[in-house]
Amino acid sequence: QKGFSGETMGDRLKSGGTAFSNLNAIWGAHKLRNQMAHDIEHDMVPEQFKQAIAILGQGIRDLGVTLS
């Protein structure tokens, strides 16, 4: 919806990376999401979830979306 080109989320991050204040952190959160989606044996600690949620929240705000 923000006009980034690409078929996958990775492609969209590459094309729109300058929109984010911390692209490396967004990539890390995306990779964590992929691990959770594709590796059912992947163990995570609650702190990883909290950090990823905070990073993705900042990324959403970087795109001009207001979170309530």
Side-chain angles (χ1 to χ4, degrees), residues 3-61:
F4 300 135
S5 62
E7 291 187 28
T8 67
M9 187 61 172
D11 292 339
R12 291 181 200 112
L13 285 174
K14 288 177 188 173
S15 74
T18 58
F20 301 104
S21 59
N22 190 343
L23 180 58
N24 286 333
I26 297 291
W27 269 108
H30 176 62
K31 288 177 184 179
L32 182 61
R33 176 263 171 215
N34 284 346
Q35 287 175 343
M36 291 172 39
H38 301 292
D39 181 5
I40 59 174
E41 300 292 323
H42 182 75
D43 292 327
M44 290 184 49
V45 294
E47 189 57 37
Q48 285 178 301
F49 283 115
K50 290 177 187 176
Q51 184 178 19
I53 290 168
I55 289 167
L56 293 173
Q58 181 58 53
I60 291 167
R61 286 187 293 277

